[in-house]
Amino acid sequence: MKKKYFLNAHIIDPKNSIDELGGLIINENGKIEAVGKKVNKNNIPSREKFIDLSGKHIFPGLVDMRVFVGEPGLEYKENFRTLSNAALSGGVTSAITMPNTQPVIDNVSIVDFLKRRGRDKAKINIYPTATLTKNLEGKNMTEFGLLQGKGIVGFTDGVKTIQNSRLMSRIMRSAYDLGSLIIQHAEDYHLAENGTVNDGIIATKLGLQGITDLAEKVIIERDLSLLEEFNCRYHIAQISSFKSVEVIKYKKNDVDFSTGVSINNLSLNENDIGDFRTFLKLSPPLRTEEDRLSLIEAINKNLIDVIVSDHKPEDEESKRLTFTQAATGASGIETLLPLSLELFHNGSVKLYRIIELLTNNPAKILKINKGNLSIGNDADFCIVDVNKPWIVKKEKMISKSKNTCIENKKLQGKVLCTYINGNELFNLK
Amino acid sequence: MATSKKAIKISQKHLLGIQDLSINDINVILKESKTFITLNKSKNKKIDILRGKTQINLFFEPSTRTQSSFELAGKRLGADVMSMNITNSAIKKGETLIDTAMTLNAMHPDIIVIRHQDSGACNLLSQKVNCAVLNAGDGRREHPTQALLDALTIIDRKKKIQGLRIAICGDILHSRVARSNIYLLNMLGAEVNIVAPSNLMPKDIDKLGVNKFTDMKKGVKDCDIVMMLRLQNERMTSSFLSSNREYYEYYGLTPDKLSFAKEDALIMHPGPMNRGIEIDTKLADDINKSVIKEQVELGVAVRMACLKLFCE
């Protein structure tokens, strides 16, 4: 591999507190050799060709902490190859995959298979999670220690929640002993039973069963109370409401934990569901505008640490049903960054903060050395024109499943190139 | 083209809910319905304004009065009416609603009447077929023809709706009848009171412009109409109420509770009734107070009007 020189870009790398005009040099091994304002035309060899990125940004490759992939068992929704292409087009270079596959990721032998498949078929870095409980049943915990040994970065039941408080306390104790990361999808099943949308005027008007924001709140309250006692690495997968933000604010000083939010909950509200648009059937549900604004405020007040795509590919057939019957979730890994940039363009969140929540913060929580431009590290990064306007079109989506919840949305900001290990794996052209 | 445009009296292609209708649409439907009341009382009840038209009734939920009412309405207007029996159909073999819709659409019907257990099913259907879709009840969302026939019944007896105080009582949470009636009665200028135990009260219902009551006596006070709803036990997946007898004690319509309403207050019920649970059986049959039978009678007229207007 030849050395590569990128100059005159606006570089943001929160891990190294870089937010400046400068350059990036990739060495022959695909590692970062130099980065920042020191890298300019005057201190690179004159014979070398360089790429002029005036007006463009360089960000570390995004780390998406909540990605559903169809391998194994649901390849018709998404496989590692299609996921990689979609991710790369959105600047995502590392994906944390959820264990809700068929079969589920709950034992050592399936992890071996997964790692092999990921290595052979995926172009991006795949970091698999395993389930908290065997077969997602919420009864017996999985072998955190052995699974970690095989490369599992965290444990979660994905779309499911541990309901049993005693089991949850035992999971936390084991996780403490073994240093494991627990990721909880916060939803009380009884409070959320049969619910499909936020409980409120929209649910009443559409005649749909609502999911109260209390369903999220009580699980977070319970878990944080347990956490005070059994202090393990704990991450709330996604929050969606003002009430949850209040609990987090209150508990933040007493216990260590981290919190994620889906870009969908940051960008849309329950009114967007309109006339039963099943592509906006999400979990947690889209809530009120006040809830959405409280989540943005929470980002700015350091109460939320991570933005995820909650990429959940579903085939057309499982969405072309009545709202009650339709599958939950939206495909979104390729629009994660452009949609996040909307928060920058409309003045809600600073660009540096957005990139922090998409790169270094998730990497730090997961304890993986990704999402940064540190010297000597793999050159995983993306080049972005943050002002380029475009319109989301279902038929132009790269993911195998086209269930975007922002069809026809006008966005500003597009990834031009994505590099992994110094190799250009995506170019918008 | 100008003449055909003039013939369109309704702003909507489909009748999916009262929410979509304009006040003009409602007045057109109610006016048209009145002409059929007389026809339905005459010796020869059949006319041929829908001759050559095909009406398909697609009922995914059991129904006695609505289905027979729509069937009769179509037949009296001369349409070819086919009622699909869902228990024998491909739906039971796993066919989706959209595929069923496409199949039926290929038979070129002029109108499809649908009842479905899921809210929004009629909306989904209407996006996939070329003909008009009439909603005969979708989940807990809307039941527009029921609200229209209720309005017609009230107008028939009270000569107006504007200014009346109307209490809708009971299982509001699961009730599409309540929702359609709230929209319609509000549009026609009534004051609507909602009476239900908190467990059967939909969230934020007051944002629809109604007064909320959990005390029935307060809720029916000085009302001109007391509309009772059926307790929909089949939709209750968990415990909403302690028992039927306690419910009757607090929310069943009894002479005592009715005495808080106006003296000439009328009792309505969309049926089928749970006698002795939401309504005292003698009150239900009291011909001076109860207009429950009249509701059924006028239901046919309203559906004839809707079939005619939405077929045009």
Side-chain angles (χ1 to χ4, degrees), chain A residues 16-29:
Chain A
N16 297 299
S17 306
I18 295 173
D19 184 4
E20 63 202 26
L21 283 177
L24 179 68
I25 304 173
I26 311 302
N27 71 15
E28 292 89 343
N29 302 320

Side-chain angles (χ1 to χ4, degrees), chain A residues 204 206-207 209 275 322 325, chain B residues 98 118-119 123 140 179 203:
Chain A
T204 295
L206 293 177
Q209 176 73 44
D275 192 14
T322 62
Q325 292 167 2
Chain B
I98 287 183
D118 289 345
S119 302
N123 305 56
R140 43 172 95 166
R179 285 170 177 77
K203 183 106 183 264

Side-chain angles (χ1 to χ4, degrees), chain B residues 41-273:
Chain B
K41 283 178 181 160
S42 63
K43 271 190 180 161
N44 183 3
K45 299 181 184 65
K46 190 153 175 134
I47 54 173
D48 63 355
I49 53 171
L50 291 189
R51 192 168 61 191
K53 305 277 187 191
T54 306
Q55 172 193 342
I56 298 179
N57 293 340
L58 196 56
F59 278 63
F60 292 86
E61 266 189 340
S63 159
T64 319
R65 60 205 75 216
T66 307
Q67 188 172 356
S68 50
S69 185
F70 266 112
E71 197 166 331
L72 206 52
K75 284 177 174 165
R76 283 187 182 166
L77 295 175
D80 295 315
V81 183
M82 182 180 81
S83 289
M84 294 268 296
N85 189 345
I86 299 305
T87 45
N88 296 333
S89 78
I91 314 260
K92 287 276 167 188
K93 299 172 193 160
E95 190 176 72
T96 66
L97 179 62
I98 287 183
D99 287 336
T100 308
M102 301 310 270
T103 308
L104 294 177
N105 197 42
M107 300 176 193
H108 304 291
D110 299 283
I111 208 150
I112 295 178
V113 178
I114 177 177
R115 164 168 293 191
H116 198 282
Q117 63 277 9
D118 289 345
S119 302
C122 53
N123 305 56
L124 183 63
L125 185 74
S126 72
Q127 290 159 15
K128 305 290 168 190
V129 296
N130 303 322
C131 67
V133 172
L134 295 195
N135 181 11
D138 64 321
R140 43 172 95 166
R141 192 184 72 101
E142 282 236 35
H143 191 352
T145 57
Q146 178 69 44
L148 287 161
L149 76 87
D150 288 340
L152 191 66
T153 310
I154 296 170
I155 293 168
D156 193 47
R157 284 297 196 100
K158 297 279 182 189
K159 308 300 170 208
K160 60 166 188 175
I161 287 183
Q162 178 84 38
L164 293 185
R165 185 176 288 178
I166 300 172
I168 307 176
C169 314
D171 186 355
I172 311 287
L173 181 66
H174 298 104
S175 177
R176 51 196 173 216
V177 176
R179 285 170 177 77
S180 286
N181 263 310
I182 289 169
Y183 300 128
L184 185 55
L185 296 172
N186 268 340
M187 278 170 82
L188 296 177
E191 187 184 344
V192 181
N193 287 359
I194 295 294
V195 181
S198 294
N199 276 331
L200 295 176
M201 190 78 89
K203 183 106 183 264
D204 295 341
I205 187 94
D206 41 330
K207 289 190 184 161
L208 296 181
V210 297
N211 312 310
K212 261 179 13 180
F213 294 91
T214 50
D215 182 330
M216 186 151 175
K217 287 172 183 169
K218 287 181 186 159
V220 302
K221 193 169 181 320
D222 297 330
C223 280
D224 300 279
I225 307 282
V226 178
M227 189 183 289
M228 299 306 300
L229 298 173
R230 186 172 63 87
L231 205 53
Q232 300 195 37
N233 285 309
E234 75 277 12
R235 290 186 208 274
M236 298 190 192
T237 47
S238 55
S239 170
F240 284 84
L241 301 166
S242 53
S243 71
N244 286 342
R245 67 176 182 192
E246 189 179 84
Y247 182 77
Y248 181 71
E249 179 72 26
Y250 286 88
Y251 295 98
L253 187 64
T254 54
D256 172 44
K257 294 190 197 95
L258 186 62
S259 69
F260 287 81
K262 282 196 183 146
E263 212 173 320
D264 61 347
L266 297 175
I267 302 168
M268 302 179 76
H269 195 301
M273 280 182 282

Side-chain angles (χ1 to χ4, degrees), chain A residues 341-409:
Chain A
L341 288 175
E342 191 184 48
L343 301 172
F344 158 62
H345 289 300
N346 65 23
S348 304
V349 187
K350 291 211 165 73
L351 184 57
Y352 185 89
R353 178 73 181 145
I354 293 171
I355 300 307
E356 189 175 21
L357 270 72
L358 291 170
T359 58
N360 185 45
N361 280 7
K364 214 163 58 185
I365 293 163
L366 292 154
K367 296 191 174 172
I368 58 175
N369 187 17
K370 289 288 173 190
N372 63 63
L373 301 174
S374 301
I375 290 163
N377 268 1
D378 298 339
D380 295 357
F381 64 97
C382 55
I383 299 169
V384 181
D385 178 345
V386 297
N387 294 315
K388 191 181 172 69
W390 63 291
I391 298 173
V392 181
K393 288 284 174 201
K394 209 166 72 177
E395 61 274 13
K396 287 200 174 161
M397 286 186 69
I398 294 170
S399 166
K400 199 164 185 179
S401 294
K402 316 294 182 193
N403 55 315
T404 173
C405 58
I406 49 167
E407 169 78 344
N408 292 328
K409 194 172 177 72

